[in-house]
Amino acid sequence: MGRRRSEPEKAPNHERWLITYADLITLLMIFFVLMYTISNVNAKKFAQLSSSMSQALLGEKSGYFIGEAQGPLIVDTEQAAAAKTEAANMEDALEKLKKYIKEKGLEGQVEVGQEERGLVISLKEALLFSIGSADLTPEARKVVADVGQVLIKMPNNIRIEGHTCNLPINTSRYPSNWELSTTRATNVVRYLVTQVGLKPEVLSATGYGEFRPIVANTSEQNRVKNRRVDIVVLKSVFNIAEPGKG
């Protein structure tokens, strides 16, 4: 059998690189379009978040940090309004209590102020109890009732915290400062519910013994400051830490 005659070779195509080049340009264009789109979305979301947080925390309208992005707020305007109302209620209660303390001459026996967790009314032991006792004195009942009337319409959770100094106690009724501080807090809760009319579901009692002093227990003057019951009106943001609250 004879050899097949070889076919003539085709001339090389010198323009094939154009196809690869066109594909590369197309991919690069798509890449930059995606990067630009992602960049714009993030900036818009960040701007919305900045504005929303400003409204929620400051209770006022503020500008965007990035650009002039528009769109629905991440933090609902109703939540911002609720936070503003709560802050106003706290401030109103604070001013009423300050006025009450001044009118009744209770400076040094009752202190009130705002902390990050909420409104704190601190009642000193000398006003509320006899030494080593958890029974409210007649004067204490009147003061607790008056304070309760200021707080009764507030929807916030209220925590009653009992505190002692570091002097030990060991009686048949109170083996340690844990029992004494807890019983004092519980008695204040009971009085607020039964005599003032606060809702029991917003109240809680806890005893810290001598372990949450506000000053060092290095003198009797300091120990007097540490022996106290704090009424803490918690901001609603802390509801998540309360059982059954969201």
Side-chain angles (χ1 to χ4, degrees):
M1 181 181 296
R3 283 186 176 180
R4 290 186 178 181
R5 188 172 54 184
S6 59
E7 296 180 0
E9 294 184 359
K10 295 181 180 179
N13 186 352
H14 296 290
E15 297 182 354
R16 291 182 61 185
W17 65 271
L18 287 174
I19 300 173
T20 303
Y21 179 76
D23 289 342
L24 179 61
I25 293 298
T26 303
L27 290 172
L28 283 173
M29 182 182 69
I30 294 172
F31 173 76
F32 284 115
V33 167
L34 287 174
M35 292 295 292
Y36 177 77
T37 303
I38 292 172
S39 175
N40 281 350
V41 169
N42 286 345
K44 183 175 180 179
K45 287 183 177 179
F46 182 74
Q48 291 171 353
L49 177 62
S50 300
S51 178
S52 301
M53 292 299 293
S54 297
Q55 291 192 40
L57 297 177
L58 302 179
E60 58 186 19
K61 196 170 184 179
S62 61
Y64 292 110
F65 289 128
I66 299 179
E68 295 294 333
Q70 301 295 324
L73 295 177
I74 295 173
V75 177
D76 195 282
T77 53
E78 292 184 2
Q79 294 177 337
K84 188 173 183 179
T85 299
E86 180 178 69
N89 290 340
M90 291 272 191
E91 186 64 29
D92 181 61
L94 176 65
E95 293 305 315
K96 287 180 179 178
L97 289 167
K98 284 182 176 179
K99 182 179 179 181
Y100 169 76
I101 291 169
K102 186 175 181 180
E103 288 178 351
K104 299 297 181 180
L106 294 172
E107 294 92 342
Q109 299 184 73
V110 181
E111 297 178 356
V112 61
Q114 290 214 56
E115 299 180 1
E116 182 179 356
R117 57 183 178 159
L119 181 66
V120 180
I121 305 107
S122 187
L123 310 172
K124 303 307 177 184
E125 177 197 56
L127 173 68
L128 297 178
F129 313 101
S130 300
I131 293 178
S133 171
D135 298 325
L136 289 166
T137 65
E139 184 183 7
R141 296 189 188 102
K142 180 67 171 66
V143 173
V144 171
D146 291 340
V147 170
Q149 287 299 325
V150 175
L151 307 179
I152 193 168
K153 293 184 179 180
M154 299 183 73
N156 305 71
N157 289 321
I158 300 175
R159 181 184 298 150
I160 313 300
E161 302 175 344
H163 301 269
T164 69
C165 68
N166 66 339
L167 295 178
I169 185 173
N170 186 6
T171 66
S172 58
R173 191 171 183 182
Y174 307 114
S176 73
N177 283 324
W178 290 113
E179 285 83 6
L180 178 61
S181 62
T182 302
T183 305
R184 285 178 169 180
T186 302
N187 285 347
V188 172
V189 167
R190 183 183 297 113
Y191 194 83
L192 287 170
V193 172
T194 61
Q195 303 301 318
V196 185
L198 269 69
K199 297 178 180 179
E201 57 266 27
V202 304
L203 289 165
S204 62
T206 185
Y208 290 110
E210 69 265 33
F211 301 105
R212 300 287 179 91
I214 53 176
V215 292
N217 284 297
T218 54
S219 66
E220 181 56 27
Q221 184 179 8
N222 283 1
R223 293 188 186 98
V224 168
K225 294 178 181 179
N226 289 329
R227 296 195 292 262
R228 69 199 189 277
V229 169
D230 290 341
I231 300 175
V232 185
V233 184
L234 294 167
K235 293 179 181 177
S236 58
V237 69
F238 293 98
N239 282 351
I240 192 172
E242 296 292 320
K245 297 287 183 178

